[in-house]
Amino acid sequence: MILKKQTLWILSLLPAFMVAQDGPVIRIDLNKNKKKTVEKQQTPSMDENVNNTEQEEKMNKRKKGIATEENETFRYPEERDEDPPDFRKGLFRGLFIAGLNACQVDGDDDAGYKYLGAHVGIGALVKFHKHMSVSMELLYNMKGAQRRLFGNLNADSTFRLVHDYVQVPILFNVHDKRIVIFSAGISFGYMVRFRQIINGTDYTNPDHSAPIAPQFIQPPRRFDLCGEAGLHFVVKDRFAFGGRFSYSLIGMRDALPATRVSKQFNNVITFRFMYLLLPNKK
């Protein structure tokens, strides 16, 4: 009987033992939290990685000389509307100028740029912006007019007017991609040489009895004020070729009756060559 009872107890406990073997096993590991804490301390966060990357980029930019946010001159590319002038190429540039004038005088009863004269001088250009500058020149400008008619040999049929000026143009210049320079401004001039030859006779200082038109007896105004506009094409940052138009804003003396203007004005087209003196690169 005792053996049977023990056998029954064993059989009744066997299913519970099997269930306990198949079910989940619960374990408590006290070191697990410690491991997580250590791993969390050793693994950097995403913010720290971003900050480290930004600091490395800033250090690389500083080494390369690129402006950063800490620099006052820093601007994002989309905000860079205007770039400062490149001072490494020089703020001031010297100019050497040579050219040829094709001239006429409005109000002398003749038309056409028939008189040719020299155009030489020096100057300086100040570039205060990437696309803008101002310039001043000192020129010796030979202006005038001449007419040659055959078959009508009266007193005013042929003449040659010589007007040589020392001029100082002051111009505002617009630069387009270092290739084109457009200029406009005013020019102050003083006549240093005057001569007029009519029908082969020198009437530079005529008296009132001279057989010429009374307009040519008047002495011309010595001071001249002109409006100027020009266009030049730059080659290799040192050479410029182009032209300039100049017109007197005040009259020299009375015009002949057959003309459409009341005074005589210098009207000049100049073909110019400029050499731009740049500083030596260090």
Side-chain angles (χ1 to χ4, degrees), residues 78-107:
E78 60 272 12
E79 297 178 354
R80 293 178 182 175
D81 297 331
E82 298 177 353
D83 294 333
D86 191 355
F87 293 100
R88 294 174 298 177
K89 293 186 177 181
L91 181 63
F92 293 89
R93 302 186 184 184
L95 304 175
F96 295 93
I97 304 158
L100 180 67
N101 291 331
C103 315
Q104 67 175 345
V105 173
D106 291 350

Side-chain angles (χ1 to χ4, degrees), residues 11-28:
L11 292 175
S12 62
L13 294 174
L14 182 62
F17 179 75
M18 295 297 294
V19 171
Q21 290 292 328
D22 295 334
V25 178
I26 300 173
R27 297 180 182 180
I28 300 175

Side-chain angles (χ1 to χ4, degrees), residues 32-146:
K32 186 174 183 181
N33 292 332
K34 294 181 180 180
K35 291 180 179 179
K36 288 183 178 180
T37 303
V38 173
E39 291 176 359
K40 184 176 181 180
Q41 293 177 353
Q42 293 178 351
T43 303
S45 63
M46 294 296 294
D47 295 337
E48 292 177 352
N49 288 334
V50 172
N51 292 334
N52 292 334
T53 303
E54 291 179 353
Q55 291 178 358
E56 290 178 359
E57 290 179 354
K58 289 180 180 180
M59 292 298 294
N60 292 332
K61 288 181 178 180
R62 288 175 184 173
K63 293 178 180 179
K64 296 179 180 179
I66 302 175
T68 61
E69 293 178 353
E70 298 175 356
N71 193 339
E72 294 180 357
T73 60
F74 175 84
R75 285 183 298 172
Y76 290 99
E78 60 272 12
E79 297 178 354
R80 293 178 182 175
D81 297 331
E82 298 177 353
D83 294 333
D86 191 355
F87 293 100
R88 294 174 298 177
K89 293 186 177 181
L91 181 63
F92 293 89
R93 302 186 184 184
L95 304 175
F96 295 93
I97 304 158
L100 180 67
N101 291 331
C103 315
Q104 67 175 345
V105 173
D106 291 350
D108 63 355
D109 196 20
D110 190 37
Y113 297 93
K114 302 173 184 177
Y115 181 86
L116 301 179
H119 174 97
V120 294
I122 58 175
L125 182 146
V126 183
K127 193 171 185 182
F128 61 90
H129 186 272
K130 181 180 179 182
H131 300 292
M132 290 179 286
S133 68
V134 292
S135 61
M136 185 174 69
E137 301 170 0
L138 179 62
L139 303 173
Y140 189 85
N141 236 357
M142 299 176 66
K143 304 180 183 181
Q146 67 180 9

Side-chain angles (χ1 to χ4, degrees), residues 160-195:
R160 178 181 177 87
L161 304 178
V162 177
H163 306 152
D164 291 359
Y165 289 88
V166 172
Q167 283 191 276
V168 180
I170 300 175
L171 304 170
F172 175 77
N173 310 300
V174 177
H175 303 253
D176 182 23
K177 298 181 180 179
R178 300 181 182 177
I179 299 175
V180 179
I181 302 176
F182 173 77
S183 306
I186 59 175
S187 176
F188 303 92
Y190 184 80
M191 186 185 296
V192 295
R193 181 171 176 256
F194 167 70
R195 192 178 182 189

Side-chain angles (χ1 to χ4, degrees), residues 138-159:
L138 179 62
L139 303 173
Y140 189 85
N141 236 357
M142 299 176 66
K143 304 180 183 181
Q146 67 180 9
R147 178 173 64 177
R148 296 179 180 177
L149 295 178
F150 302 97
N152 183 16
L153 300 178
N154 56 43
D156 300 326
S157 62
T158 63
F159 61 85

